[in-house]
Amino acid sequence: QVQLVESGGGLVQPGGSLRLSCSASGSSFRLIAMGWYRQAPGQERELVATISSGGSTNYGDSVKGRFTASRDNAKNTVYLQMNSLKPEDTAVYYCNRFRVPWSWGQGTQVTVSS
């Protein structure tokens, strides 16, 4: 079973930046499309970004132009660079396999507040 460990969250002021990391166990990581998801209190988990095995990315409308997903297959790690953060970006952020998720990790809390 693949284990996912997210990190890099924290408290940031509006307009600030954070870089999230997610490491995954397993030897086939490099072949797998990954997604970044977030869940705000009382809301459904939503997909915010995807990155293919080859590094192609897609973004939700709410984060397009502000968030950038990347990956380092040698390190079994995906990243989410988040710039121009807004209070509505406040959520627990998770990574997982796109479309057919593994068990969820613990996520990392991002709080955008002045």
Side-chain angles (χ1 to χ4, degrees):
Q1 177 68 293
V2 173
Q3 291 188 322
L4 300 165
V5 179
E6 299 92 348
S7 62
L11 173 64
V12 63
Q13 292 187 342
S17 298
L18 283 173
R19 189 193 194 206
L20 307 184
S21 300
C22 171
S23 62
S25 61
S27 60
S28 60
F29 174 83
R30 62 183 177 84
L31 302 176
I32 295 169
M34 296 291 291
W36 278 100
Y37 303 78
R38 68 185 180 187
Q39 187 168 22
Q43 297 188 20
E44 297 284 323
R45 185 174 287 151
E46 68 167 325
L47 177 67
V48 297
T50 62
I51 182 164
S52 72
S53 58
S56 298
T57 54
N58 281 288
Y59 302 95
D61 288 343
S62 61
V63 306
K64 200 172 295 182
R66 301 187 297 121
F67 289 12
T68 303
S70 60
R71 65 191 298 160
D72 184 338
N73 289 334
K75 295 182 179 180
N76 276 19
T77 300
V78 291
Y79 304 97
L80 187 68
Q81 177 67 43
M82 307 187 297
N83 298 328
S84 302
L85 283 161
K86 304 175 181 181
E88 51 264 42
D89 295 318
T90 296
V92 180
Y93 283 72
Y94 304 85
C95 75
N96 212 321
R97 183 170 59 175
F98 180 48
R99 288 203 181 95
V100 186
W102 298 303
S103 296
W104 294 91
Q106 84 287 350
T108 187
Q109 175 71 48
V110 171
T111 302
V112 185
S113 174
S114 55

